[in-house]
Amino acid sequence: MPFSSFQAVKWWLAHHVGLAKDALHIYVALGLFFGSCWLFRWPVRSWKPWAAVLLAALAGEAWDLRDTIVYRTRINLAANWHDIWNTLFWPSAIVLLARFTPLFRR
């Protein structure tokens, strides 16, 4: 079955890093979250790094849906939703901890 380069990269990462796709969502989300904090000097308590992760998660799932349509595979919206919340869980928890606890304060 043919698939897009995006799917090929995800498969390659999962295969060569030795992590499940769910775990890759978590690592990519945390890398994007903390990477955008570092790159743009955004505080961890800001909504901006969280929004960057949200946009990336939505873009990735949109691409997955596009591939599902193009390659005529079964659409599974529950799996797409699972990927979005799985990706956003730890960035959301970190933003909430940074805003409402002294954990990330100087």
Side-chain angles (χ1 to χ4, degrees):
M1 176 180 90
F3 48 89
S4 72
S5 58
F6 179 62
Q7 301 303 327
V9 167
K10 289 187 341 184
W11 180 87
W12 186 90
L13 273 173
H15 183 70
H16 286 84
V17 177
L19 295 172
K21 282 187 179 180
D22 281 346
L24 284 176
H25 279 268
I26 296 166
Y27 282 96
V28 168
L30 290 173
L32 183 57
F33 182 83
F34 288 117
S36 64
C37 286
W38 175 76
L39 182 66
F40 298 112
R41 308 260 189 254
W42 290 335
V44 173
R45 63 189 336 232
S46 172
W47 61 272
K48 293 176 184 177
W50 183 88
V53 175
L54 173 64
L55 288 174
L58 292 175
E61 292 311 307
W63 199 334
D64 281 348
L65 284 171
R66 176 226 170 254
D67 287 348
T68 301
I69 293 166
V70 168
Y71 297 107
R72 297 185 178 158
T73 56
R74 188 173 66 85
I75 293 176
N76 185 352
L77 294 177
N80 295 111
W81 171 245
H82 171 83
D83 287 348
I84 291 169
W85 81 259
N86 186 37
T87 303
L88 287 170
F89 179 81
W90 283 111
S92 299
I94 292 166
V95 168
L96 291 172
L97 287 170
R99 285 183 173 214
F100 300 112
T101 71
L103 189 60
F104 287 93
R105 302 222 174 116
R106 292 180 189 212

